[in-house]
Amino acid sequence: MRFDELLVYLERENIGLRRNGSDLVVIGETQTLTSSLVSELRAHKAGLLALIGERRDTWWGRPVSITPEMLPLVELTEEEIARVVATVEGGAGNLQDIYPLAPLQEGILFHHLMGGEGDPYLLGSLYSFESRQRLESYLAALQAVIGRHDILRTAVVWEGLREPVQVVWRQARLVVEEVEVGREGGEAAAAELYERYNPRRYRLEVWRAPLLRMAVAEDKAAGRWLLMQ
């Protein structure tokens, strides 16, 4: 396959690329990432890296346009679609689909918006790991689960729209924040971390997928790592 033919194929199948050092990171539907495509990407790797440039924080793809006709389940104008796309990390190339909210979701969003300081539907769980390696393994497994299930890559957007919609991202990066806790350690460290992210006061940006946030802290006194999910 010639280089220009490969670019056309990537555009048609809505496949995005990103640089990771000297490597290519590929995003797309599972059925499109065939062994033959991988071979072509390897063959044209140098040209693709030159085309992407040095930026590593955004996905590259042939210009993707989403029109109202492509969204049979919702009624959105081009201006509204542009508002939705602006909320998606990576732009239109990382937008998988847009759906209306189910009645239960509408109720959850209503209470979220009326919740003020906290969120009545937000749940917090605190975990302890014996090492940073075990913690990282857990986070990697959770990221893999997010990659497999659309519902975990779904956000909610409503600002500037006639009706709120749920937006499925093709790839959603798990947000992990590392914080410090006091020197006392043990139960005091766990209580401090939970209090800092207490669901009665902490809120998620529900327009950003996944609807999960992680805060990790090293409890040096107890020789462990804490994770607030």
Side-chain angles (χ1 to χ4, degrees):
M1 186 184 297
R2 300 196 313 269
F3 187 68
D4 58 336
E5 292 176 334
L6 176 60
L7 294 181
V8 171
Y9 178 83
L10 295 176
E11 176 184 13
R12 185 175 69 248
E13 299 299 331
N14 200 18
I15 296 172
L17 304 173
R18 191 177 70 184
R19 173 188 287 271
N20 182 18
S22 60
D23 295 327
L24 278 174
V25 181
V26 184
I27 184 172
E29 298 291 343
T30 303
Q31 62 269 22
T32 65
L33 303 179
T34 62
S35 58
S36 60
L37 173 62
V38 172
S39 298
E40 294 294 341
L41 291 173
R42 287 173 176 168
H44 295 287
K45 178 180 177 180
L48 291 169
L49 287 174
L51 192 62
I52 294 171
E54 295 301 321
R55 294 196 62 179
R56 306 184 184 188
D57 57 342
T58 57
W59 289 97
W60 177 90
R62 299 270 288 186
V64 177
S65 60
I66 300 176
T67 64
E69 294 75 20
M70 298 168 64
L71 305 170
L73 298 180
V74 292
E75 293 185 4
L76 295 174
T77 65
E78 292 184 357
E79 180 180 355
E80 288 174 318
I81 292 173
R83 290 180 182 272
V84 173
V85 170
T87 68
V88 178
E89 184 179 293
N94 194 32
L95 198 161
Q96 180 173 316
D97 217 330
I98 304 176
Y99 302 102
L101 263 61
L104 179 60
Q105 291 173 312
E106 291 178 343
I108 293 174
L109 176 61
F110 173 81
H111 287 106
H112 167 78
L113 296 175
M114 296 295 291
E117 186 179 14
D119 189 322
Y121 287 97
L122 185 61
L123 301 176
S125 300
L126 189 63
Y127 300 94
S128 173
F129 296 85
E130 62 184 17
S131 67
R132 182 63 185 256
Q133 183 179 4
R134 295 293 296 271
L135 169 62
E136 293 295 342
S137 296
Y138 174 82
L139 294 174
L142 187 55
Q143 183 68 70
V145 173
I146 292 170
R148 290 183 179 183
H149 298 281
D150 289 0
I151 190 62
L152 296 179
R153 290 181 277 104
T154 298
V156 180
V157 178
W158 66 93
E159 292 188 353
L161 308 180
R162 288 166 292 174
E163 299 288 342
V165 295
Q166 49 180 319
V167 182
V168 184
W169 295 20
R170 293 186 182 279
Q171 183 176 76
R173 176 177 53 87
L174 186 62
V175 176
V176 181
E177 180 183 6
E178 187 164 337
V179 299
E180 293 185 358
V181 292
R183 297 180 179 179
E184 296 84 358
E187 294 300 322
E192 179 184 342
L193 186 61
Y194 186 86
E195 187 62 22
R196 185 179 302 186
Y197 297 94
N198 191 320
R200 293 185 177 182
R201 292 187 300 277
Y202 186 76
R203 289 168 64 83
L204 293 183
E205 299 168 331
V206 297
W207 51 265
R208 179 178 183 178
L211 299 190
L212 290 167
R213 300 293 183 272
M214 304 289 148
V216 303
E218 184 179 9
D219 183 359
K220 296 181 180 179
R224 62 178 181 171
W225 283 84
L226 298 173
L227 168 66
M228 180 67 186
Q229 176 173 297

